[in-house]
Amino acid sequence: MSLFNLTGKTAVVTGSDKGIGKAMAVALAEAGANVIGTSRSGDSGAVQQAVEQTGRSYQHYNVDFSDRDQIYAFTRQLFNDVPRIDVLVNNAGTILRKPATEHPDEYWDQVIQINLTAQFILGRELGKHMIAHGSGKIIFICSLLSFQGGITVTGYTASKSGLAGLVRAFSNEWAAKGIGVNGIAPGYIATDNTSALREDPERNTSILQRIPAARWGTPEDLKGPVQFLAGKGSDYVNGTILFVDGGWMSR
């Protein structure tokens, strides 16, 4: 189990206030890490309580990743407050739905900024920090739409496809420097982002019929994978995107 032990490590999880972000923050704490979380809303009470119940510390920052100035202010404050960051889980994201012919520039700009540009900046800045210390793990939360086209989510698909490229590009440059860069592609997980699909009887049925596991995933299904990619057990895993999808992509 030492391969999964994160005792003494510090992990940053963006978008940690709910859903899979919260589940992964708690998972890292359960493995021994102290956790730094972010959200736009500032509602961190539930995740803070869950992390602290494991005996680990939780520190929260309010960051709007649609605002580039806030991203840089966050990284400056983070490096001022925390001497060493060992794990980054780049999870914060958004989704806006419109058919491609009606998908406005504003939707595109917002989704690309939050889901791709912000993650690039954080990955680059914390990557430099980890390289200076000789080790670290960066985990991007990708998507099945890093590999598929989706429906009515043009900007989201483009952003998540870009994340898959970032995983490979960063990994190619940083693996030899002791930095593990990988991704997780969740399948259809029951969160706020998928509520519209679950509430649509036709889409919900078609999705469930394709999933070999015959169920929607839960945020807790991400806990084991993130512990693995954050720990020593994944030291020779580089540039990989791990599907956590109930077998969706095997179809």
Side-chain angles (χ1 to χ4, degrees), residues 6 9-13 28 33-37 85-89:
L6 301 176
K9 304 291 187 182
T10 298
V12 174
V13 182
L28 295 173
N34 295 315
V35 178
I36 295 166
I85 297 159
D86 304 283
V87 179
L88 168 64
V89 181

Side-chain angles (χ1 to χ4, degrees), residues 17-73:
D17 57 328
K18 59 185 178 180
I20 66 174
K22 177 185 173 185
M24 292 188 294
V26 174
L28 295 173
E30 289 172 341
N34 295 315
V35 178
I36 295 166
T38 78
S39 70
R40 182 171 55 183
S41 68
D43 183 12
S44 63
V47 65
Q48 180 168 350
Q49 182 179 13
V51 167
E52 291 178 349
Q53 284 177 346
T54 72
R56 306 302 166 184
S57 67
Y58 182 83
Q59 187 173 352
H60 191 81
Y61 294 82
N62 294 341
V63 187
D64 182 352
F65 289 112
S66 68
D67 184 334
R68 193 172 298 198
D69 290 339
Q70 287 196 35
I71 301 168
Y72 283 109

Side-chain angles (χ1 to χ4, degrees), residues 18 40 91-98 103-104 106-116 119 142-146 149-160 186-189 191-198 203 216:
K18 59 185 178 180
R40 182 171 55 183
N91 168 69
T94 191
I95 187 168
L96 296 171
R97 301 177 186 276
K98 281 279 189 181
H103 207 80
E106 293 78 12
Y107 276 24
W108 175 271
D109 291 343
Q110 182 176 346
V111 171
I112 294 296
Q113 168 60 35
I114 294 172
N115 290 7
L116 185 58
Q119 301 217 23
C142 300
S143 169
L144 298 182
L145 299 190
S146 299
I151 300 171
T152 73
V153 286
T154 309
Y156 184 84
T157 298
S159 69
K160 292 298 186 176
Y188 285 89
I189 309 295
T191 66
D192 290 349
N193 275 358
T194 59
S195 60
L197 297 177
R198 287 181 284 116
R203 290 294 305 282
W216 284 78

Side-chain angles (χ1 to χ4, degrees), residues 126-165:
L126 271 70
K128 288 189 286 189
H129 168 88
M130 292 175 182
I131 289 168
H133 287 91
S135 66
K137 302 281 186 170
I138 299 176
I139 304 163
F140 287 91
I141 304 307
C142 300
S143 169
L144 298 182
L145 299 190
S146 299
F147 304 90
Q148 298 178 321
I151 300 171
T152 73
V153 286
T154 309
Y156 184 84
T157 298
S159 69
K160 292 298 186 176
S161 297
L163 282 188

